[in-house]
Amino acid sequence: MGDGLTVLDQKTQDSSKRAMDKITNVYIWDMDETLILLKSLLNGTYAEAFSGLKDGQKGVELGKMWENHILKICDESFFYEQIENYNKPFLDALNQYDDGRELSDYDFNQDEFSPPYDDLNIKKLAYRHRAIGNKYKKGLQNIFDREMLSFWDELYNMTDVYTDRWLSSARAFLEKCSSGKVGSTSSLASVNGIIDSTDAKFQHINVLVTSGALIPSLVKCLLFRLDDWIAHENVYSSWEVGKPQCFQWIKERFANPNVRFCVIGDGWEECEAAQTMQWPFVKIDLRPGSSHRFPGLSLRTVGYYFSVVYGKDDAEHEEE
């Protein structure tokens, strides 16, 4: 019996050591004009990058369809009309005010949520945040009927064709980042958004930091099919606090000597914030033919940026 316990203890110690030795790669993503295309469709800059080869008006029409329906869904299913003026940087920001009350029979339309922003109304806002997180985890199939799901599939596919597979390629790349290797589908997101790949040496975390408001950004994640790879607790809105503050929170949240960060986006704010944090920054480029767009960006390229800051690790970012 004693020997058995000794072997068990040794296995536990070995497992704990492997967990501590793991390198955790945190990919910090921008949303618009990085993982998705929307603003550049609406203002025509995506089509302009193709020097007349793209129908700019079609792009604007697609963008308007997305924009109108996103706002409608935010209001109808995610309380946005009620909480638009109470934007928070992440859903868990009000956890301390949530008393854990069962919400299955809670009537959000009759709880008199309104100004002033006192403790009672903050608690009601915290309830809404929890309900939004639960809806996000359950996915679109628990929000829409079959007809509406079909509509969103069609709009997604139309936009993907127009953008030469930008959307599906970005999503596929997000999946590759989650596993660390091309073609791997064996990685699963845990409840805290950490991805354990089959490679025992690495963990992978996708985090989204967007300058948009929090609730529309979560809805975009669902509609653009990013929710399998970005957990709701890993979505940050820099709308009011700025990206440097969000990056600092992320650094503190995942503080560990074996954690490596990489920022991927198209804007100056995330670029400057990454430089301040001394993290690698991969700048997305809309122009056709660029290797820093979708399709185009590769794990090998991202691995190069990691190696410049953190040193080369041949076992990571291998591509077939």
Side-chain angles (χ1 to χ4, degrees):
M1 179 71 73
D3 290 342
L5 286 174
T6 302
V7 171
L8 181 60
D9 290 343
Q10 184 63 49
K11 287 183 177 180
T12 301
Q13 291 175 7
D14 291 344
S15 178
S16 299
K17 185 178 186 303
R18 283 196 299 271
M20 291 179 62
D21 289 343
K22 275 192 175 183
I23 294 173
T24 300
N25 290 327
V26 180
Y27 303 89
I28 302 173
W29 295 90
D30 181 36
M31 177 174 271
D32 288 291
E33 282 53 63
T34 299
L35 287 174
I36 72 169
L37 295 176
L38 185 53
K39 292 178 182 177
S40 62
L41 296 181
L42 288 164
N43 62 26
T45 53
Y46 176 78
E48 289 171 6
F50 287 80
S51 303
L53 297 177
K54 289 282 185 185
D55 181 348
Q57 185 56 38
K58 182 177 181 181
V60 171
E61 291 171 359
L62 287 169
K64 286 182 177 178
M65 290 178 68
W66 279 99
E67 185 178 51
N68 292 336
H69 284 88
I70 286 169
L71 291 174
K72 183 179 179 182
I73 292 165
C74 285
D75 288 341
E76 292 180 353
S77 301
F78 290 86
F79 312 110
Y80 191 54
E81 192 172 9
Q82 296 179 357
I83 66 177
E84 180 178 1
N85 295 324
Y86 303 100
N87 186 66
K88 293 296 174 183
F90 48 93
L91 274 186
D92 293 342
L94 299 178
N95 277 0
Q96 61 180 313
Y97 296 96
D98 189 340
D99 58 12
R101 170 178 174 161
E102 173 60 46
L103 299 179
S104 59
D105 60 349
Y106 187 87
D107 191 342
F108 288 100
N109 294 317
Q110 299 296 326
D111 70 348
E112 299 181 347
F113 172 70
S114 64
Y117 196 52
D118 55 19
D119 284 352
L120 179 59
N121 279 296
I122 294 176
K123 181 168 70 173
K124 295 173 184 177
L125 180 58
Y127 289 165
R128 284 160 171 79
H129 277 203
R130 174 151 56 96
I132 289 168
N134 289 335
K135 286 189 175 188
Y136 186 97
K137 285 188 286 189
K138 292 178 180 178
L140 292 180
Q141 66 274 12
N142 285 282
I143 301 172
F144 298 147
D145 58 23
R146 185 173 300 178
E147 182 179 354
M148 186 57 73
L149 287 171
S150 178
F151 167 80
W152 280 109
D153 284 343
E154 183 178 355
L155 181 57
Y156 182 96
N157 291 332
M158 287 171 54
T159 309
D160 202 36
V161 170
Y162 177 77
T163 60
D164 303 322
R165 298 186 303 107
W166 185 294
L167 303 184
S168 57
S169 296
R171 186 183 183 280
F173 189 79
L174 196 64
E175 181 178 356
K176 290 177 184 177
C177 286
S178 297
S179 64
K181 296 185 184 297
V182 171
S184 174
T185 57
S186 57
S187 302
L188 295 174
S190 69
V191 292
N192 62 0
I194 296 177
I195 306 287
D196 261 325
S197 75
T198 51
D199 185 340
K201 190 175 180 182
F202 297 95
Q203 288 180 325
H204 306 277
I205 306 171
N206 288 307
V207 177
L208 184 72
V209 179
T210 172
S211 57
L214 179 63
I215 305 309
S217 298
L218 288 162
V219 171
K220 286 181 187 178
C221 281
L222 286 166
L223 297 176
F224 283 95
R225 306 178 181 178
L226 307 177
D227 53 305
D228 282 346
W229 307 109
I230 301 177
H232 70 77
E233 57 264 47
N234 289 347
V235 177
Y236 291 77
S237 167
S238 65
W239 178 274
E240 293 168 333
V241 299
K243 293 199 173 182
Q245 175 62 76
C246 289
F247 286 12
Q248 184 62 41
W249 283 332
I250 293 165
K251 180 181 179 181
E252 292 169 0
R253 178 182 168 193
F254 298 110
N256 187 291
N258 291 334
V259 174
R260 311 188 304 181
F261 300 90
C262 183
V263 181
I264 306 172
D266 74 308
W268 63 268
E269 189 183 6
E270 56 261 28
C271 176
E272 289 187 354
Q275 290 176 346
T276 299
M277 304 297 287
Q278 297 184 317
W279 295 344
F281 175 69
V282 182
K283 181 171 175 54
I284 297 297
D285 184 357
L286 284 178
R287 293 174 297 178
S290 169
S291 62
H292 287 58
R293 70 190 305 276
F294 296 109
L297 188 64
S298 68
L299 283 177
R300 188 179 299 278
T301 299
V302 174
Y304 167 78
Y305 283 89
F306 268 111
S307 67
V308 168
V309 174
Y310 298 105
K312 187 172 176 57
D313 191 322
D314 293 331
E316 182 65 324
H317 296 112
E318 294 173 359
E319 295 209 63
E320 293 173 355

